[in-house]
Amino acid sequence: MKRLLNYLPVHFVIFLILGICIQFYYKIWCFVFLHFLSVFGIILLTLFLVKSKIIKTFLSCLLFFFIGISTVYFQNKQNYTNYYQNFIDNNSTKILKINKVLKPGFYHFKFEAKVIQIDDYKTCGSVLLNLKKDTLHSGINVDDILLVKTDFLDVMPLLNPHQFDYKSYLSKKGITQQIFIAENEFKKLVNNDISLFGMSASFRNKVQNSLKKYHFKDDELGVISALLLGQRQDISKDLINDYSKAGAIHILAVSGLHVGIILLILNWLFRPLDIFKNGKILKTIVVIIFLWSFAFVAGLSASVIRAVTMFTFVAFGLFFRKRNFVEFSLISSMFFLLLFKPMFLFDVGFQLSYLAVFGIVWVEPKLVQIWQPKLKIINFFWRLFTVSIAAQIGILPLSIYYFHQIPGLFLLSNLIIIPFLGAILLGGIIVILLSVLDILPQFFADFYGKIISIINSFVQWISNQEAFLFEELSLSFLMMISMYLIGFSFVLLVFKYSPKKLLFFLGSIIVLQSVLLIESKQRVSKEEFIVFHKSRYSILGERLGNQLTIYHTINSNNHKFLNSYKVGEKVSLNYTNQLKNIYSIKNKNILIVDSLGVYNIKQLKNPIVILQQSPKINLERLIKVIKPMQIITDGSNYKSYMNLWEEVSKKENIPFYNTSKKGAFIIK
């Protein structure tokens, strides 16, 4: 551990991450490329001129902190003069190049597209392209170039607290706007330039078309595509939920698990090369070529590139065979990835992958020493058990933070599936190669499909054991960090006991208890009124401490979207369909004006007005009579009414808030 902490890239990665986070959240650097070169040059020159070790260390840390800031700045296309939004006006002609095919939604096929031209201007930047599903898929593929005239729209913000923030998710991928088109609203242009990503997508399409000839069932074909081609679009929603509940969702995503198994298989296959002179060098080169060939077949997605990059460094580490080579390789791969793709840091898959591997590297060696069975078969499953436990220890706090659940039977699903995953991957590669060559025997395809069906059935059975699925768990960000602090200090203490490490561990427990007490006090004292957004309905929430009373006009089947708030805030929900006309919170009066249009209430002045169920009122008259401090409209109103009310409010200089555009409104 001490040797690892003295490994220079560890310190570089820490300050690189700090720079990335500060620039992403606070945008402290807003200068041009010339300024960047000047600051970078001054730091480097000073670093070479000074002789003090302390100053050199400080400048080195500052250098990588600054590199983290600059990588985020230069990755953000909005900082470029040719960013597409700088050239858009009414009726602009846009030319888009398809960069990625995404998982379709309920009503649209979805694509990530680069904006390469606006009218006569060459541009940069990306948008989300939504193609209506009401017609046949028009065969849009990666590298296709489309001409459109439809206007770009901002991505919708988070509409209710603690729900998935799709706008934030897309912004981390450099996408802030989207476009909706039907099949007759674009023209496909000729494109003679094919990128590596386009070649990869074309090959995957060829593979999928060849596999369809062999009569695989839909779920079988979907799982095969996910395991080997990185394509989860064809898997049914129910099957994905089954894998998630069983704690085996990572099996359906081409990630570090798959690439690590393939690396082990390749090392075993090419072991005979070790006997030749320079054979280890040749083996390492061949293995890396095969790894990147697999990445090409799997679509060169961000998760695949991350995994293959990680294990490319591990392959180099295996060649040099130095102490702690795995840890050094992982740290080096993380540094390399964040240097060129800083937004990977905010990707959940990136975080889970590295935490799982670090859990295995640091925790598993201690677990395996608890028991050392003599029988090889028992030892194999014991090692598999300890690896699964170590990986879960590494990702558990983060999993609860993001997904709010723990699959209790994850060990059973992993112990049954993972031992055979190498054979499944190898068999799948053979199936793909033979199907592309059109020489795959039908009996082999049927046998492989049956294996996949057995796995799907087993996962479905595991997911149905709901008593072992612990849901609605919640951790705040600070609580998650505190848990990792305890885990890290405990691992340090177990590696080698010392009084300082014991104090560190006890201090981390105090930090956790402090966070618990502070959050508990904040939760109990919290008081707020929430206007939730739900299309065609009115939902109001009145919170006092740990209790949230929901006043609503919806049926019980539509309450599910409130669970995210319940879990995130750790409150109890009480429902009532008896909406009141007046609410009060912290000396603020809230007046509800519904379809009856009643608002002239004596002794009620300057209230916050919530318009719901499209009341037929004269808003100018309402403003003159009760002089509201703010007007809010929820999802139960007609769109035309809300647009009119917004114009009137702007004219009368009254703050106006529309939940369908800005999300839920919270009065504190």
Side-chain angles (χ1 to χ4, degrees), residues 465-478:
Q465 313 308 309
E466 295 186 357
F468 297 95
L469 179 64
F470 305 100
E471 297 182 289
E472 298 189 355
L473 304 175
S474 180
L475 281 181
S476 68
F477 179 77
L478 286 177

Side-chain angles (χ1 to χ4, degrees), residues 231-248:
Q231 293 284 87
R232 288 170 57 175
Q233 288 90 330
D234 298 326
I235 304 179
S236 66
K237 187 176 181 180
D238 290 338
L239 187 59
I240 287 180
N241 287 335
D242 288 341
Y243 273 84
S244 179
K245 289 180 179 179

Side-chain angles (χ1 to χ4, degrees), residues 417-532:
I417 297 174
I418 291 180
F420 304 102
L421 189 57
I424 293 167
L425 290 172
L426 188 59
I429 292 170
I430 294 171
V431 166
I432 285 176
L433 288 174
L434 296 181
S435 66
V436 170
L437 297 173
D438 206 19
I439 56 173
L440 175 63
Q442 185 62 48
F443 78 88
F444 190 78
D446 293 339
F447 174 75
Y448 190 73
K450 186 66 176 177
I451 296 297
I452 299 297
S453 288
I454 291 172
I455 292 173
N456 290 343
S457 298
F458 173 72
V459 167
Q460 186 177 25
W461 178 81
I462 291 287
S463 69
N464 288 333
Q465 313 308 309
E466 295 186 357
F468 297 95
L469 179 64
F470 305 100
E471 297 182 289
E472 298 189 355
L473 304 175
S474 180
L475 281 181
S476 68
F477 179 77
L478 286 177
M479 184 62 68
M480 179 194 68
I481 297 299
S482 300
M483 289 183 68
Y484 273 116
L485 185 64
I486 282 183
F488 180 69
S489 61
F490 180 73
V491 170
L492 288 178
L493 186 64
V494 169
F495 265 99
K496 189 176 181 180
Y497 172 83
S498 71
K500 287 184 179 179
K501 291 176 182 178
L502 179 60
L503 287 174
F504 181 33
F505 176 65
L506 295 175
S508 64
I509 294 177
I510 293 173
V511 170
L512 178 66
Q513 291 175 329
S514 301
V515 172
L516 272 171
L517 288 172
I518 292 170
E519 290 186 352
S520 178
K521 184 178 179 180
Q522 289 177 341
R523 191 163 55 250
V524 170
S525 62
K526 201 166 189 178
E527 186 177 348
E528 59 187 19
F529 189 88
I530 307 169
V531 184
F532 291 98

